[in-house]
Amino acid sequence: MADMFPLYRGDQVRAMDRRAIEQWGIPAYELMTRAGTAAWALLRAQWPQVRRIGVACGPGNNGGDGYVLARLAREAGCTVHVVCAPGGHPRRDPAREALAAWRGAGGRVESFDGMLPDVDVWVDAIYGIGLSRPPSDAVRSLIERINASRRPVLALDVPSGVDADRGRVPGVVVQSRVTLSFIAAKQGLYTGQARDACGEVRVDRLGLPAIDTGQDPPSAWLVRDTDLSAWLAPRHANAHKGEHGHVLCIGGEVGMGGAVRLCAEAALRTGVGLASVATRREGVAALVAARPEAMTHAVEDATALAPLLERASVVAVGPGLGQGDWGRSLLDASLGAGKSLVLDADALNLLAVRPVPVPGAVLTPPPGEAARLLACDTAQVQADRFGAAHRLAQRYQAVVVLKGAGTVVAAPGRDPVVVGAGNPGMATGGMGDVLSGVIASLLAQGLPAFEASVAGALLHATAGDAAARVDGERGLLPSDLFPHLRRLANPA
Ligand SMILES: NC(=O)C1=CN([C@@H]2O[C@H](COP(=O)(O)OP(=O)(O)OC[C@H]3O[C@@H](n4cnc5c(N)ncnc54)[C@H](O)[C@@H]3O)[C@@H](O)[C@H]2O)[C@@H](O)CC1
Ligand SMILES: [K+]
């Protein structure tokens, strides 16, 4: 397994914070001072030219971190405007101590009256992991003003307004350029709506010893492009195609033949030994002409599918399958074949109509299909992507790859993994067909289902990022990923 990055919920980080205070005797105000100091150092490194700094402070310890930063910035000769969020005067230590120190150093606190001072950069210290409800109208107005200023924002710990456990934004959120998270990385910052609000996420341990994941088991893990090589070992010299598996891609109802081709080509470009396609008769000639390496068969019913299922080591079913009788019969035959399965697209829509556990299979739903599989609405899935992926994995006894910004991979008995790659250019029809082909390919090459899903989702997202770097996100096509998939599937 790769050297993944540990993620935590807010309550777990609070426990680390308490341990630092109670067991190691580090006073709370000392930790707060370290947080403000780390943030000030990052601000200086990030924007060395700035002289006018705005700090928006809330009522809790996140605000306290902001008062510390404000004092340090003032001592360094900057003009600092501290704006107190409506209802945001700290009432408890150590934030009260930080406010007193700011005042003691000659600093003033401005109340927010609807206008903001003109500054070069904003520091968001309104709410951290203590956000308990959507911001009030008055705080909403402050956040909207900060966003409208178009100045870069450094968010302390989390962008204010983000639910740091779930990645949702229950109201309005500060749009940050950089987020400096304290003590440990919060899982919610890496998926869902939060991804947009955080900008670049950094983590500072505040001088505490390196995380021991045995003592502090993470709630989730993050994988990044640098982890890819852990799953993609070089091939040995006398390899033959039989060792690299045989993927059968099933789908391509009339009018949707391209989907199954994308799936098969993705499997081939990421190293599967053999790829077959079972599709409608109408699609065969075009597919053979476009991708002669895929062995393409006209399959009109489950009987014709049986010998193909027999020969395959992995079956990817769903791309362009449709939800009619043809698709249903091929899906049912696949479910009964006893092969490793990747279920995507219409296979998931059909499964949602007649839900049954599919032990060990890989399901690759985007939020809409996930909602159908859970019989809830898409907003509920997006409000808690970790929870939704977990519920899907339990209900279907499967590995679940919940797609979308910050893809979450979950399986019964496994910690969830978030994919720290991908971009909005990948929100295009056909991108999912490529992903199911990549995962099927890695399964066929011998990775277990969970590892194939994590590595496949990461490989796919990283290829999407590489393709977007060439000509931008808008207009990115699934087939643009192929050369990058091939290159990335062969790490140096
Ligand atoms: N030992 C320490 O003092 C440390 C504190 N840290 C900071 O402390 C933060 C957590 O501090 P807190 O627990 O005080 O939480 P926050 O500072 O996030 O805010 C909690 C306060 O905001 C109020 N609040 C929450 N949502 C609200 C809403 N929508 N409208 C109005 N009021 C709302 C709560 O009632 C509470 O008074 C972390 O995010 C981090 O920034 C870290 O720097 C680590 C060290
Ligand atoms: K904040």
Side-chain angles (χ1 to χ4, degrees):
M1 206 62 171
D3 190 14
M4 298 187 291
F5 188 73
L7 306 179
Y8 295 89
R9 292 185 312 270
D11 63 324
Q12 296 174 295
V13 181
R14 281 189 196 283
M16 292 182 201
D17 184 285
R18 267 199 309 278
R19 204 175 331 124
I21 295 168
E22 288 163 13
Q23 287 182 9
W24 302 334
I26 305 173
Y29 183 57
E30 165 64 19
L31 277 178
M32 184 170 278
T33 303
R34 291 183 191 181
T37 305
W40 169 235
L42 175 60
L43 191 155
R44 292 251 293 214
Q46 191 78 20
W47 299 286
Q49 311 299 336
V50 303
R51 289 288 166 267
R52 298 172 306 165
I53 296 170
V55 187
C57 292
N61 289 339
N62 195 251
D65 298 342
Y67 288 114
V68 172
L69 181 146
R71 181 169 51 77
L72 297 173
R74 194 171 190 275
E75 283 168 12
C78 293
T79 303
V80 182
H81 292 274
V82 167
V83 176
C84 178
H89 255 80
R91 287 182 204 95
R92 286 194 320 263
D93 284 343
R96 249 188 356 185
E97 287 175 77
L99 170 60
W102 162 247
R103 287 210 166 109
R108 281 193 328 110
V109 177
E110 303 166 31
S111 299
F112 176 63
D113 61 1
M115 300 296 287
L116 286 179
D118 190 18
V119 295
D120 305 317
V121 63
W122 276 101
V123 175
D124 160 27
I126 304 174
Y127 302 122
I129 54 174
L131 183 82
S132 53
R133 53 194 182 277
S136 65
D137 285 348
V139 176
R140 162 185 280 274
S141 156
L142 168 61
I143 290 174
E144 285 171 349
R145 282 276 166 186
I146 292 173
N147 291 343
S149 75
R150 301 196 152 276
R151 298 288 185 250
V153 177
L154 168 64
L156 303 194
D157 208 22
V158 310
S160 298
V162 153
D163 175 336
D165 285 351
R166 296 176 192 81
R168 74 193 170 118
V169 173
V172 68
V173 66
V174 174
Q175 292 293 338
S176 314
R177 187 77 61 84
V178 183
T179 297
L180 182 62
S181 232
F182 301 125
I183 297 187
K186 283 83 190 172
Q187 66 171 23
L189 302 191
Y190 297 88
T191 195
Q193 290 169 295
R195 276 264 303 238
D196 249 348
C198 291
E200 181 194 347
V201 182
R202 308 260 192 104
V203 180
D204 192 291
R205 282 287 286 159
L206 305 185
L208 304 183
I211 287 182
D212 171 356
T213 54
Q215 184 178 27
D216 290 305
S219 56
W221 298 87
L222 180 73
V223 282
R224 295 163 292 184
D225 53 0
T226 46
D227 297 321
L228 263 178
S229 57
W231 291 289
L232 300 167
R235 290 182 165 176
H236 54 90
N238 67 344
H240 59 88
K241 68 175 186 262
E243 284 175 47
H244 302 133
H246 183 170
V247 167
L248 170 64
C249 305
I250 304 173
E253 177 57 290
V254 176
M256 295 187 286
V260 77
R261 178 196 156 184
L262 288 169
C263 180
E265 187 157 352
L268 287 162
R269 288 298 185 194
T270 49
V272 76
L274 295 166
S276 292
V277 174
T279 191
R280 282 288 202 188
R281 185 170 306 285
E282 288 83 342
V284 172
L287 218 145
V288 169
R291 197 74 279 159
E293 297 86 348
M295 297 171 286
T296 302
H297 304 264
V299 168
E300 292 304 325
D301 55 34
T303 313
L305 187 63
L308 303 180
L309 285 170
E310 182 97 353
R311 286 199 291 275
S313 51
V314 175
V315 179
V317 54
L321 186 69
Q323 296 177 51
D325 291 343
W326 181 74
R328 165 60 73 185
S329 66
L330 300 195
L331 173 61
D332 287 346
S334 306
L335 293 179
K339 299 285 174 165
S340 294
L341 283 176
V342 180
L343 304 187
D344 184 33
D346 280 329
L348 297 175
N349 289 322
L350 287 165
L351 185 63
V353 174
R354 228 188 282 155
V356 286
V358 280
V362 177
L363 315 185
T364 59
E369 283 161 10
R372 283 190 278 283
L373 286 163
L374 286 170
C376 65
D377 57 49
T378 309
Q380 284 171 289
V381 169
Q382 291 297 74
D384 182 3
R385 289 169 54 79
F386 290 102
H390 174 75
R391 288 202 307 283
L392 278 169
Q394 292 300 332
R395 180 176 291 195
Y396 292 93
Q397 289 298 297
V399 180
V400 171
V401 181
L402 177 57
K403 298 184 286 197
T407 289
V408 177
V409 183
R414 301 295 295 254
D415 294 336
V417 174
V418 190
V419 176
N423 65 82
M426 299 179 76
T428 317
M431 219 39 106
D433 306 325
V434 172
L435 174 64
S436 54
V438 173
I439 293 173
S441 174
L442 297 183
L443 264 174
Q445 290 171 73
L447 286 182
F450 189 74
E451 284 70 16
S453 301
V454 170
L458 179 64
L459 178 53
H460 179 255
T462 306
D465 287 345
R469 275 197 292 279
V470 178
D471 275 322
E473 294 174 354
R474 195 167 281 142
L476 184 67
L477 297 186
S479 52
D480 294 337
L481 267 58
F482 290 138
H484 301 284
L485 281 173
R486 184 177 174 200
R487 181 175 48 77
L488 290 162
N490 291 286

